[in-house]
Amino acid sequence: MDGVGNSGWDRQARGEAPSPTAFDGPAVPGRKSGTREEVENIVIVQQFLAALARRDVETLTALLSVNAIHDDLPRGRFAGRVAIATKLRAGFAQLEDFQIELRHIVAADMVVLVERTDHYRLRGRSVILPAMAAFEVSKGVITAWRDYWDLQTVEQTLIGPWAAVRE
């Protein structure tokens, strides 16, 4: 399985009824639907996630502003398109496989929140990593990308359950 799996995106492939549109009901009391900008921002982030799953650094960087910030928590901050591209290339070089399961995506103004599960193989082991990301989108490009995930989950998978035990 390659790419981004999403219950809404792959329902048709499984022969299921299509999912409702992202904004068919009020997400906020009194609000009827997402704005055009919010919908466009979600599309940009979906394109970014699809490129991430393909490990397509050129498309990824094209979707980032020149001065974009990537906070890869707990690993650190990467400032600027070049630094982010360098970090991504180094990370992708270590992966034997990479897939993204998109669970939820919502937008409010310029912020897009994504709940996902990353599935990848690293050092011959399968890693299943729940993650949450916040994207800020302005004028059609991503200006900030913050990823939140648990390093201990990766350590325990790669080294074993005692990896996080510290004396």
Side-chain angles (χ1 to χ4, degrees), residues 11 17 20 24 59 62 82 84 93 151 155:
R11 286 176 191 226
D24 65 346
T59 300
V82 173
I84 296 168
L151 181 59
E155 289 174 340

Side-chain angles (χ1 to χ4, degrees), residues 39-90:
V39 173
E40 290 170 355
N41 291 346
I42 284 177
V43 169
I44 289 165
V45 171
Q46 288 173 327
Q47 291 170 346
F48 186 85
L49 293 172
L52 189 65
R54 292 190 313 269
R55 297 180 258 181
D56 179 353
V57 176
E58 287 69 33
T59 300
L60 289 166
T61 55
L63 292 167
L64 295 170
S65 71
V66 173
N67 298 318
I69 299 294
H70 174 42
D71 286 320
D72 184 3
L73 305 162
R75 295 177 125 190
R77 175 173 275 203
F78 301 85
R81 187 187 282 170
V82 173
I84 296 168
T86 300
K87 179 254 185 191
L88 289 172
R89 281 189 186 96

Side-chain angles (χ1 to χ4, degrees), residues 20-34:
T21 60
F23 297 103
D24 65 346
V28 177
R31 188 168 173 193
K32 300 212 185 274
S33 66

